[in-house]
Amino acid sequence: MNRTIYPLTLFYDAACPVCSLEMDHLRERNRDERLVFVNIAAPGFDPAIYGVSYADMDAEIHGLCADGTMLRGVEVLRLAYDAADLGWVLRPTGWTPLKPLFDAGYRVFARHRREISRAAAPLIHAIRAARARRKAAEMRACRNGACDIHGHDRSTS
């Protein structure tokens, strides 16, 4: 199958802390703007324009390829990670003998993501705080002339 994937629009639930944390991570690495992020929990979001119900989008992540193909589940995450130069992380989830297990595991996670988010709240807050500290340090370095607009350290260029 030869389809145009990117830019890939990711439909995710920003009200879910685990989901939001993951999208924040992908957003940070979205340097080539191959990913577009759409919060399905935003007021006024209407999934009907995409031909999908809110219940379906809420049940698992969806992705809209540039050619109009709607995908869902782990396949969307694999493509998103590829776009963020992290494809190697999820590559095993697409291997033929493992794919059904990962697909089923993701569906279980998606169904229970709110409970998982509540249980993981302290870890999620710690990760967000660490990211915020790192971002603040990067911004200070940029103000001091240590980086360029692409976030590369000028002192090593």
Side-chain angles (χ1 to χ4, degrees):
M1 175 188 296
N2 193 5
R3 65 178 169 225
T4 305
I5 296 169
Y6 303 106
L8 176 67
T9 302
L10 301 172
F11 297 94
Y12 74 102
D13 178 8
C16 165
V18 170
C19 306
S20 188
L21 185 70
E22 190 62 23
M23 293 302 116
D24 288 348
H25 178 66
L26 290 170
R27 193 177 285 111
E28 281 182 10
R29 299 185 61 94
N30 189 28
R31 292 183 185 94
D32 296 331
E33 297 183 10
R34 296 174 73 195
L35 300 172
V36 177
F37 302 86
V38 175
N39 172 13
I40 67 168
F45 173 73
D46 182 9
I49 63 174
Y50 303 103
V52 181
S53 72
Y54 181 81
D56 286 343
M57 280 195 172
D58 190 51
E60 60 186 330
I61 192 168
H62 280 64
L64 182 64
C65 297
D67 68 3
T69 304
M70 184 66 79
L71 304 172
R72 64 181 197 216
V74 181
E75 178 65 15
V76 173
L77 295 171
R78 277 193 289 273
L79 293 170
Y81 270 63
D82 279 343
D85 295 326
L86 293 170
W88 60 272
V89 173
L90 291 184
R91 194 159 296 126
T93 69
W95 294 345
T96 302
L98 300 177
K99 187 177 181 310
L101 296 172
F102 281 108
D103 289 350
Y106 171 77
R107 284 190 299 275
V108 169
F109 161 79
R111 188 170 34 252
H112 300 286
R113 71 185 190 278
R114 290 175 179 94
E115 295 89 355
I116 293 167
S117 287
R118 280 193 293 277
L123 177 60
I124 291 168
H125 293 303
I127 292 169
R128 282 219 160 110
R131 285 182 181 170
R133 284 190 301 274
R134 186 186 75 235
K135 218 29 147 173
E138 289 171 3
M139 291 173 73
R140 281 191 301 276
C142 285
R143 279 196 306 266
N144 294 329
C147 70
D148 65 13
I149 61 170
H150 300 293
H152 297 44
D153 186 349
R154 282 189 186 158
S155 64
T156 61
S157 299

